[in-house]
Amino acid sequence: MTIGVALPSGDTANAVNIVDELITQTRQAADAGLTSAWFSQQMEHDAITVAALAGRAVPGITVGTSVVPVYPRHPLLVTGLAQTAQAATGGRFVLGLGTGAKNWLEPAYGIEYPSPIKHLREYLTILREVLGGGEVDFHGETVRAHAKGFAASLTVAGGSDIPLIIAAMGRQALRVTGELADGTIPFLAGPKALSELIVPEITKAAAGRPAPRIIAMVPVVVTDDPDAVRATVDRQYAFFRDIPSYRAVFDAQGVDSAGELVIAGDEETVAAEIRRYFDAGATEVVATQSGIRNSEERLRTWHVLGDLVRG
């Protein structure tokens, strides 16, 4: 099994230096036997930068972003950052992107939020051109990029072959992702939503291309009090009910809230639930919120997941 973790995982509030803490936790994940560490984009720190630093500090583990919103970052900026991270980690970086949520991002940045599916398609078209050859001349409706014939190259030595993963859950986003990216990294999509919606939709769109990666992100906590964990997740992530793409995967799974999707319980319960995601078509699982209550539960969880990786 290929199992990773998402960072921060809920227990960094008292960190003296967040970068140092996330690198320490990446090292703990690697020591537990986990295969990857994924860094969420926050308003207060940059995920690509942290992934590059953590991947350079911890040999062997794959690092990625989960995810960087494409709005309002220009694709040429992101390609430079991603290639730098790939060079820094010796080829162990994965670029995870998402459309983001209009009701959060537009007020924060004060820039009009574009049509998300059209913007995603145009954005990925530019990324693929630059990452594939280093030049681009694209004039779309939501984004433009002209960097052709420049004296300076757009390629970074050591920064090639970056996997491109999209947080796609809705049908339109999955179609674009299947056509233009290497896979999807859905959050809070349960086994039924994976097998009946996400896997068939993206696989159909990717026809003729390599099979897409399906990286299922789900809250996972080995704990003696699963009801308390579910209640905490429900409280902290209640806003997902009002985001259409999340509402769609909740409906596909037959649940009403994030708390119902939490994998929580003893070691045997958690291991069995993780296997359900692989049976549903996930190629990888990423455990999120493992430290939502404390670091002890996080480390306990990671050791169970490491045992699953080792088989």
Side-chain angles (χ1 to χ4, degrees), residues 117 120-121 168 170-181 201-202 204-206 209:
I117 300 303
L120 179 63
R121 180 176 290 280
R171 293 184 187 277
Q172 293 184 74
L174 286 165
R175 292 185 193 118
V176 174
T177 298
E179 294 171 17
L180 296 173
E201 199 69 55
I202 193 173
K204 179 180 177 181
R209 303 184 65 230

Side-chain angles (χ1 to χ4, degrees), residues 18-53:
I18 188 61
V19 174
D20 288 344
E21 178 63 23
L22 292 175
I23 290 173
T24 295
Q25 292 196 11
T26 302
R27 188 171 289 110
Q28 290 172 340
D31 290 345
L34 294 158
T35 58
S36 59
W38 299 78
F39 300 89
S40 60
Q41 181 65 49
Q42 307 289 336
M43 295 296 287
E44 72 273 17
H45 70 256
D46 181 71
I48 296 177
T49 302
V50 176
L53 292 169

Side-chain angles (χ1 to χ4, degrees), residues 38-300:
W38 299 78
F39 300 89
S40 60
Q41 181 65 49
Q42 307 289 336
M43 295 296 287
E44 72 273 17
H45 70 256
D46 181 71
I48 296 177
T49 302
V50 176
L53 292 169
R56 193 166 183 83
V58 185
I61 196 166
T62 295
V63 292
T65 55
S66 62
V67 295
V68 174
V70 296
Y71 164 97
R73 298 163 182 83
H74 193 277
L76 293 184
L77 170 65
V78 171
T79 57
L81 290 167
Q83 289 180 87
T84 302
Q86 183 72 318
T89 60
R92 290 178 285 116
F93 175 73
V94 181
L95 179 59
L97 301 172
T99 58
K102 178 178 181 178
N103 59 332
W104 300 345
L105 297 175
E106 192 172 70
Y109 290 108
I111 303 171
E112 184 179 358
Y113 188 86
S115 171
I117 300 303
K118 181 170 294 189
H119 188 56
L120 179 63
R121 180 176 290 280
E122 294 182 353
Y123 202 100
L124 293 181
T125 299
I126 294 171
L127 285 182
R128 285 178 62 85
E129 287 189 22
V130 174
L131 295 176
E135 289 190 334
V136 64
D137 185 12
F138 183 88
H139 299 269
E141 293 182 35
T142 69
V143 63
R144 297 180 180 184
H146 177 78
K148 195 168 185 177
F150 281 21
S153 172
L154 295 179
T155 59
V156 175
S160 61
D161 300 322
I162 301 171
L164 186 55
I165 306 295
I166 309 301
M169 295 183 289
R171 293 184 187 277
Q172 293 184 74
L174 286 165
R175 292 185 193 118
V176 174
T177 298
E179 294 171 17
L180 296 173
D182 300 305
T184 183
I185 184 165
F187 179 44
L188 297 176
K192 184 178 179 182
L194 286 175
S195 64
E196 296 184 6
L197 170 62
I198 291 173
V199 173
E201 199 69 55
I202 193 173
T203 301
K204 179 180 177 181
R209 303 184 65 230
R213 292 168 66 175
I214 315 292
I215 306 170
M217 298 185 69
V218 59
V220 182
V221 186
V222 176
T223 178
D224 297 326
D225 195 351
D227 289 340
V229 171
R230 293 189 185 96
T232 301
V233 171
D234 238 351
R235 183 173 62 255
Q236 292 189 7
Y237 294 100
F239 58 86
F240 280 120
R241 296 179 182 178
D242 299 322
I243 299 175
S245 58
Y246 285 93
R247 185 74 263 164
V249 293
F250 285 1
D251 291 344
Q253 185 64 31
V255 301
D256 186 55
S257 68
E260 296 176 72
L261 292 161
V262 176
I263 297 175
D266 61 19
E267 285 78 359
E268 291 76 17
T269 298
V270 166
E273 288 298 306
I274 291 290
R275 292 188 182 98
R276 290 183 62 214
Y277 280 79
F278 286 100
D279 292 342
T283 59
E284 306 163 51
V285 170
V286 173
T288 76
Q289 279 77 41
S290 297
I292 198 167
R293 296 210 313 157
N294 54 65
S295 298
E296 290 74 23
E297 287 185 340
R298 172 175 59 81
L299 292 171
R300 181 182 174 189

